[in-house]
Amino acid sequence: MENEVQKKRILSGIQPSGDLTLGSYLGAIKNWAALADEYDCYYMLADMHTITVRQVPADLRRRTLTQLAAYIACGLDPEKNVLFVQSHVPAHAQLGWVLDCYTMFGELSRMTQFKDKSAKNADNINAGLFTYPSLMAADILLYQADLVPVGGDQKQHVEICRDIANRFNGIYGDVFKIPEPYIPKMGARVMSLTSPENKMSKSDKDPNGCVYILERPEDILRKFRKAVTDSEACVRYDPENKPGVSNLMQIYAVTTGRSFDAIEQEFAGHGYGDFKAAVGESVVEMLRPIREETERMLSDKAYLQGVYRAGAEKAARVANRTLGKVYKKVGFIDR
Ligand code: TYM
């Protein structure tokens, strides 16, 4: 028990706004499973964040459950990690509102994701899309998280979370732990297979650019066969001039544990065809057990329900403690 109190805490989450991608897997989830022994880990399904963009309700429900099954299949043991659905813990919305009042219009306007998403959803630039980072700050701060393991694209959101927490602490004393982003050295930015200057994204309009972790092996292999490379016909790491090949090398490095030097040697004198096939195979083999285990778990809805109910209960206990402190600090009278 004493030990548990001393463990550092981790909080992260993924939006079930699309099927899980190879980018989210390599940039985030793959690294989460290894942290369970050393840290006290909380992983959410960020369903509240998804409705900043219009969702089909039945699809959102299906994807949330599938994502939970995939979390477990990726090695997140529910006995060792708290797995929960964001909307099941009302403290997220409650602290989100408080933090909205400590977040500045100017700093929200500078968020790259807001700019990107408002360009993509010009007919629905809603207030939730704008204040998305203060809800994300609430997600993190409620758990007094020390570390937030995310891909490179979320770094700015963790930074604004730190700014909001520092501002609040500056007024009311040490209420929030100031979290650090935890970004992997490899896989932090997996790029699209068809336009390697853009990150691989579940909202990609081009279905060949993005690999989904539950996709059929033949589809994954086909996407890698079609991946954009260049005309040099040489497997060499040079992200500036060879973004397509370098992205594939990065993926292969993570799936096989090999260094860039070793990969260059392995494919010296080979054409891109062999290289792309090998990368595709390595991804298929890495994902095969995850797909099979996710499918198996999805056939046991009662088990999944048990996991998310227990997770929400454990998460709410921690979250409500922080929320209570915050309410007191800002001057709300006790119920
Ligand atoms: P989301 O759902 O867009 O992405 C989930 C995680 O996957 C990482 N990621 C990538 N990493 C490498 N290469 C890529 N191509 C790639 N695409 C996605 C993301 O960096 C992220 O770690 N706002 C968050 C969800 C969220 C959250 C939180 C995260 C809500 N509350 C609290 C951490 C803490 C998001 O939209 O991630």
Side-chain angles (χ1 to χ4, degrees):
M1 187 68 205
E2 195 127 295
N3 227 357
E4 266 180 34
V5 175
Q6 284 166 7
K7 270 188 183 176
K8 288 199 169 180
R9 200 168 278 159
I10 279 188
L11 176 290
S12 196
I14 296 182
Q15 297 188 65
S17 53
D19 295 330
L20 280 172
T21 69
L22 183 63
S24 294
Y25 179 68
L26 297 182
I29 314 178
K30 184 171 185 287
N31 310 303
W32 295 353
L35 301 167
D37 289 328
E38 202 179 329
Y39 298 92
D40 189 16
C41 299
Y42 291 75
Y43 296 114
M44 339 175 287
L45 298 113
D47 58 345
M48 289 165 66
H49 278 100
T50 69
I51 62 165
T52 54
V53 172
R54 222 45 99 221
Q55 301 291 330
V56 176
D59 289 351
L60 179 57
R61 269 189 287 273
R62 176 186 56 76
R63 284 196 309 255
T64 306
L65 214 55
T66 307
Q67 188 171 305
L68 175 65
Y71 273 10
I72 303 169
C74 289
L76 299 179
D77 177 350
E79 300 297 324
K80 292 188 181 167
N81 301 270
V82 180
L83 308 181
F84 67 102
V85 180
Q86 185 186 26
S87 65
H88 291 177
V89 181
H92 290 251
Q94 293 168 304
L95 183 62
W97 169 252
V98 175
L99 296 185
D100 273 348
C101 304
Y102 295 81
T103 308
M104 299 301 134
F105 186 89
E107 59 189 347
L108 289 174
S109 313
R110 288 193 290 276
M111 293 290 113
T112 338
Q113 186 170 303
F114 172 68
K115 290 188 219 164
D116 287 352
K117 286 205 172 163
S118 20
K120 279 190 194 147
N121 303 283
D123 55 345
N124 183 23
I125 307 177
N126 59 71
L129 193 63
F130 188 62
T131 61
Y132 180 115
S134 29
L135 178 59
M136 179 159 157
D139 300 336
I140 298 167
L141 299 178
L142 276 174
Y143 299 89
Q144 306 287 357
D146 296 276
L147 290 180
V148 185
V150 284
D153 62 324
Q154 292 298 317
K155 188 163 177 250
Q156 198 184 29
H157 285 158
V158 181
E159 277 162 5
I160 192 177
C161 167
R162 289 165 57 89
D163 292 343
I164 298 168
N166 276 318
R167 183 174 299 133
F168 197 91
N169 285 355
I171 305 171
Y172 301 105
D174 278 346
V175 179
F176 296 126
K177 173 79 67 64
I178 308 298
E180 299 279 348
Y182 183 79
I183 297 170
K185 286 198 183 64
M186 279 284 194
R189 199 165 160 78
V190 179
M191 310 308 276
S192 156
L193 298 186
T194 49
S195 51
E197 56 293 338
N198 299 316
K199 76 161 189 176
M200 183 180 282
S201 158
K202 51 199 160 200
S203 57
D204 199 334
K205 294 280 175 289
D206 180 356
N208 290 320
C210 184
V211 171
Y212 299 99
I213 72 166
L214 303 178
E215 217 167 353
R216 296 185 317 172
E218 52 271 37
D219 293 330
I220 297 179
L221 292 174
R222 179 179 43 78
K223 288 181 181 182
F224 277 99
R225 263 199 311 273
K226 286 191 171 172
V228 166
T229 48
D230 51 59
S231 54
E232 196 195 19
C234 173
V235 174
R236 181 167 61 79
Y237 191 71
D238 178 357
E240 189 106 329
N241 300 304
K242 294 164 72 69
V245 168
S246 303
N247 184 41
L248 293 172
M249 282 180 78
Q250 175 144 197
I251 295 171
Y252 195 58
V254 184
T255 54
T256 61
R258 284 174 212 166
S259 67
F260 290 149
D261 278 350
I263 299 170
E264 285 175 10
Q265 275 168 24
E266 184 181 349
F267 293 99
H270 287 256
Y272 286 152
D274 288 351
F275 172 54
K276 293 200 276 188
V279 183
E281 288 288 350
S282 74
V283 170
V284 164
E285 288 320 311
M286 174 184 66
L287 296 179
R288 188 187 304 281
I290 296 175
R291 194 187 69 243
E292 289 170 0
E293 184 63 9
T294 304
E295 280 166 9
R296 201 182 62 71
M297 238 163 334
L298 276 172
S299 63
D300 191 351
K301 298 276 189 309
Y303 170 72
L304 292 174
Q305 195 176 57
V307 169
Y308 68 65
R309 284 190 175 157
E313 215 168 284
K314 286 187 209 154
R317 228 174 288 141
V318 177
N320 287 336
R321 217 175 297 143
T322 305
L323 183 72
K325 254 194 222 170
V326 168
Y327 272 13
K328 200 169 181 174
K329 290 285 185 187
V330 300
F332 296 166
I333 59 168
D334 208 350
R335 195 169 56 171

